Amino acid sequence: MTLNDDDGEPRRQVGALPFRRGRDGQPKILLVTSRESRRWVIPKGWPMKGRKPFEAAAREAYEEAGLRGAVGKRPIGFYLYQKRLRNLDTVLCQVKVFPLEVRKQLKDFPEARQRDLRWFTPVEAAEAVSEPGLAALIRAASRT
């Protein structure tokens, strides 16, 4: 069963696309595993009361991956995916994605023991994620 908001619109989420330059000068993108299915995803979550969307995205990046850095105030795009809920229903979500230039990666953070983290080249990251919209967003972002 798929659940949406009453008006049929997807539920809105915010996410961060964490990036940095590798030692070789090439861009790298950090992905995290989801807690339930262990898929490679970007840090994301529900909007937070009292925080602007880009601030909530940066907060998710800290909680899920221990990242600190400069978050863009404008989204680079969005993608849709089916989120599986604890009761096994799914809900269609639209994730607004903000760029996050990583300046610091902490070893200890709230979800450190619940997720794996890995830096990928943009091509590897696009291949590792299962959502086609997120893969397209990664490819487009890495061309800029």
Side-chain angles (χ1 to χ4, degrees):
M1 176 178 188
T2 299
L3 303 174
N4 287 337
D5 288 336
D6 296 313
D7 58 7
E9 291 291 310
R11 294 199 186 165
R12 304 212 183 281
Q13 289 192 312
V14 295
L17 183 64
F19 70 94
R20 65 169 168 81
R21 294 261 169 224
R23 286 181 180 79
D24 57 4
Q26 297 303 306
K28 302 282 188 210
I29 292 174
L30 184 110
L31 297 178
V32 301
T33 54
S34 63
R35 287 189 289 201
E36 302 293 323
S37 65
R38 310 303 290 170
R39 301 179 336 279
W40 287 110
V41 297
I42 61 171
K44 65 184 173 310
W46 304 110
M48 298 175 188
K49 207 178 197 105
R51 289 183 200 243
K52 293 183 164 89
F54 68 90
E55 293 168 334
R59 179 70 194 182
E60 291 294 342
Y62 163 71
E63 290 176 3
E64 296 183 12
L67 303 178
R68 297 283 194 207
V71 64
K73 292 183 167 85
R74 284 201 170 136
I76 55 173
F78 69 89
Y79 69 97
L80 296 168
Y81 82 104
Q82 291 287 341
K83 178 174 181 63
R84 185 169 303 267
L85 303 175
R86 287 205 172 100
N87 64 5
L88 300 183
D89 284 342
T90 59
V91 60
L92 183 63
C93 292
Q94 180 189 66
V95 184
K96 193 181 285 188
V97 180
F98 295 87
L100 176 72
E101 184 173 5
V102 177
R103 303 231 166 100
K104 193 173 203 177
Q105 187 174 355
L106 306 171
K107 288 191 178 11
D108 191 33
F109 52 94
E111 298 180 17
R113 287 155 206 66
Q114 301 169 38
R115 299 178 185 274
D116 295 323
L117 314 177
R118 193 166 127 204
W119 287 99
F120 292 85
T121 66
V123 170
E124 292 168 337
E127 289 172 359
V129 299
S130 52
E131 293 86 9
L134 177 55
L137 221 159
I138 291 170
R139 285 190 198 95
S142 65
R143 286 194 285 271
T144 59

